Amino acid sequence: MSERILIRGGRVIDPARRLDAVVDVLVADGVVADVRAGLEVTGARVVEADGCIVAPGFIDLHAHLREPGFEQKGTVATETAAALRGGFTTVCAMPNTRPAPDCGPVLESILELYARYGRVRIFQIGCVTRGREGRELAELAELAQRGVVAFSDDGSPVADPRLMRNALALANALGVPLSEHCDSPEMHTNGAMNEGAVSERLGLTGQPSAAEAAAIARNIELAALTGARLHIAHVSTARGVDLIAQAKRSGVRVTCEVTPSHLFLTEDAVAGTGSEPSYDTNAKVNPPLRTESDRRALLRALDEGIIDAIATDHAPHAVEDKLVEFEEAAFGISCFESAVSTLLTLASRGELRVERMVEALTSGPAACFRLAERVRGLGTLAPGEARDIVVLDPRATVVVDPTSWCSKGRNTPLGGQRLTGAVRAVVFGGTIAWEREVVNG
């Protein structure tokens, strides 16, 4: 018989069931067995959650596990261990691996890696085009048959509108959403950061916000034409969320995500806080960190439900990938282990409602890719179904120390910053899989 766990006295937030109350949660026989106040269970392992938030295990729609092909940056084992410590019990892996999952046999080999080394539940996102090269469609039907939850070429936008239209039409026929990195690279030449006053001061080539907006507008039109489910990855601009809001009002089947980095940081992170600019390559991410006005627009759109999900875009890199000139550095921030603290810090400042944060990490992403149709209980604490729980301590103080992370990627612009809030414990598959501190009941 499996261990019984009683999580006692926490604020339980389960947006899928419209539950927000101080109650207890009992886990027995590998699932949530009961959620109500005053539970008394003999022999259970007790997690005292007074003052804590108790929520369904978090779901990440956009993560880079690096293996196979880039093990110097991260492996399935290291990055899913990092995900677990960050409260993410389900992650969707992007297809920028070598080889890329553009056909059935490659996908099957990657899924075997996940089964062997994964510390959390992993869903694979399949390629849109062969080799993510944008020339011809990948084996979409083959990939769908083997269980991919979405199609994407990750950071390589599908530039050819005819190919994109065909991809959306086929994805719609297969019942699988298409997740697109929306950029118009023809508008800039290797833009390394947001185009604006900061890039001009630093002498760096920028990416204009119009490059994102133009791509979003095109893809929304193609989604409307084909009836497909379009997911906009890591939206970063005020204009982008305006276009998505308008499309939703018009009935287009579009969803979107935002990263914790774009909610918490701005382009100023590239320059740093000293009198001389730091050119911090750890703040180089694609899409780039934008303006304070964009950041506030993203927070508003999240609060209003225009943005459906918070997704990390966790992108670990080896040290040498960032220890180069800014324009030569790799894009990406490693953030599985800092995401929750940045979000709870925003909540402590009054910039983000905790209940909306939880929704965007649980039932929101589950709905975007219909994940609960694949595994019952995802994104909720429904008794008899749910198996994953995260306990958060919003009072904890954390100093970001990437040298202590499980992730191979130490590439974060947050090193040394003091944040508010942390993951206290994680239940995965009905058992306590990670705990910040041992609590004796």
Side-chain angles (χ1 to χ4, degrees), residues 4-7 24-28 31-36 39 41 44 389:
R4 289 190 295 175
I5 305 162
L6 180 61
I7 302 173
D24 305 328
V25 178
L26 174 65
V27 178
V31 297
V32 172
D34 204 354
V35 180
R36 58 188 170 90
L39 289 174
V41 182
I389 306 168

Side-chain angles (χ1 to χ4, degrees), residues 90-403:
T90 300
V91 300
C92 299
M94 297 303 282
N96 61 334
T97 52
R98 187 183 298 150
D102 58 5
C103 62
V106 173
L107 174 61
E108 288 178 353
S109 68
I110 292 174
L111 294 179
E112 288 174 5
L113 276 176
Y114 296 164
R116 188 176 308 160
Y117 300 113
R119 296 282 306 278
V120 299
R121 185 179 300 101
I122 310 170
F123 292 117
Q124 182 62 50
I125 296 172
C127 297
V128 176
T129 65
R130 291 186 185 276
R132 299 175 47 247
E133 294 177 351
R135 296 192 184 96
E136 57 181 328
L137 292 182
E139 300 294 338
L140 302 190
E142 206 169 89
L143 295 171
Q145 185 180 22
R146 286 166 172 79
V148 298
V149 293
F151 299 118
S152 179
D153 275 353
D154 188 42
S156 302
V158 181
D160 184 337
R162 181 178 298 176
L163 189 65
M164 184 62 164
R165 175 184 178 176
N166 291 341
L168 284 165
L170 183 51
N172 186 43
L174 294 169
V176 178
L178 193 153
S179 176
E180 179 72 350
H181 172 115
C182 289
D183 184 24
S184 305
E186 62 275 12
M187 285 192 185
H188 55 87
T189 305
N190 299 320
M193 65 172 297
N194 182 57
E195 181 182 286
V198 178
S199 67
E200 289 180 10
R201 176 162 60 89
L202 298 179
L204 295 172
T205 305
Q207 293 185 27
S209 59
E212 175 177 280
I216 288 176
R218 185 204 75 167
N219 292 325
I220 284 172
E221 289 299 321
L222 293 176
L225 178 66
T226 59
R229 284 191 289 146
L230 172 68
H231 182 76
I232 307 296
H234 44 43
V235 61
S236 67
T237 62
R239 180 58 180 152
V241 293
D242 285 346
L243 290 166
I244 293 165
Q246 182 180 0
K248 287 188 170 192
R249 289 193 296 268
S250 299
V252 181
R253 301 167 73 196
V254 59
T255 56
C256 67
E257 67 191 40
V258 67
T259 77
S261 301
H262 289 92
L263 293 173
F264 192 74
L265 298 167
T266 69
E267 60 187 352
D268 291 329
V270 174
T273 57
S275 57
E276 293 296 325
S278 64
Y279 293 90
D280 188 356
T281 57
N282 287 320
K284 184 179 180 183
V285 65
N286 196 17
L289 300 172
R290 303 288 187 177
T291 66
E292 175 64 11
S293 177
D294 287 311
R295 189 185 75 87
R296 291 188 178 278
L298 295 173
L299 284 165
R300 285 194 301 271
L302 180 62
D303 186 66
E304 294 168 3
I306 297 166
I307 294 176
D308 303 89
I310 296 172
T312 66
D313 194 10
H314 173 73
H317 284 292
V319 173
E320 57 268 25
D321 297 324
K322 292 289 190 175
L323 285 180
V324 293
E325 293 293 327
F326 192 90
E327 291 184 314
E328 301 301 317
F331 290 103
I333 296 174
S334 179
C335 58
F336 269 151
E337 291 164 88
S338 62
V340 165
S341 293
T342 59
L343 296 170
L344 287 173
T345 299
L346 289 170
S348 73
R349 297 174 182 171
E351 295 186 76
L352 175 62
R353 291 184 294 121
V354 168
E355 55 270 28
R356 184 68 191 107
M357 178 197 85
V358 171
E359 184 177 16
L361 289 166
T362 58
S363 59
C368 287
F369 289 178
R370 296 181 177 174
L371 299 181
E373 296 178 9
R374 297 169 182 265
V375 177
R376 290 181 64 186
L378 287 190
T380 181
L381 293 177
E385 295 183 357
R387 298 175 179 272
D388 306 335
I389 306 168
V390 61
V391 181
L392 310 176
D393 185 352
R395 305 158 301 185
T397 298
V398 174
V399 177
V400 179
D401 177 15
T403 65

